[in-house]
Amino acid sequence: MTNDVHNDGFARLPNILFRMYPLLDGFTLETAGLYGYLLSWRQNNANHAMYGMAWLRQADITAETGMSAFKIRQHTDVLCRYGLLNVTKSDRIANKLVYEPLEPLTYEEFRRTYWREEAVSS
């Protein structure tokens, strides 16, 4: 994925998020959707102190996505587990988290890291 993932109002997601990551335990298309949602809120001004991050209240994510707080936590845990997201608490505003969507692995990196016979369903 290039640095130009958010252009003209579109968050661009690489195919690997839909084709390979769902083979991993706990990762679903809904997980990929939350990743895309967070990516769409990412600060894209390179001169901004929070470049590459999104800061949102969980209540706002729930209202906008229709996901319960439990589902949001579940999916963010999965995204963190597989190296797609860093989450920290805001040091300025209560009940706000700072989300840093990270680059997904390439197909080759994914195969080296996760590819096992048992990861593929028959």
Side-chain angles (χ1 to χ4, degrees):
M1 192 157 61
T2 67
N3 290 334
D4 189 25
V5 296
H6 190 281
N7 189 10
D8 300 328
F10 295 96
R12 290 177 172 82
L13 302 176
N15 292 339
I16 194 167
L17 285 170
F18 302 105
R19 295 180 182 171
M20 301 299 284
Y21 276 90
L23 297 172
L24 301 174
D25 186 42
F27 198 103
T28 67
L29 291 178
E30 190 173 59
T31 309
L34 181 63
Y35 175 85
Y37 172 81
L38 295 171
L39 193 65
S40 76
W41 280 100
R42 184 169 74 170
Q43 173 56 254
N44 290 297
N45 178 348
N47 297 319
H48 195 281
M50 300 204 43
Y51 174 70
M53 299 178 197
W55 49 100
L56 302 161
R57 289 182 327 126
Q58 190 165 2
D60 294 333
I61 298 172
T62 296
E64 292 178 0
T65 65
M67 286 185 207
S68 68
F70 173 78
K71 283 302 243 181
I72 293 166
R73 283 191 304 275
Q74 186 179 39
H75 291 305
T76 56
D77 288 348
V78 170
L79 290 167
C80 291
R81 180 182 337 143
Y82 295 119
L84 292 168
L85 186 67
N86 284 333
V87 181
T88 55
K89 289 186 178 187
S90 171
D91 56 359
R92 292 191 230 155
I93 301 169
N95 299 322
K96 268 203 179 183
L97 295 175
V98 177
Y99 300 93
E100 182 183 10
L102 304 170
E103 297 290 323
L105 298 174
T106 65
Y107 280 96
E108 185 55 39
E109 291 167 333
F110 185 94
R111 284 184 181 100
R112 276 197 316 265
T113 305
Y114 297 115
W115 200 257
R116 294 181 197 95
E117 287 300 316
E118 63 269 15
V120 181
S121 23
S122 334

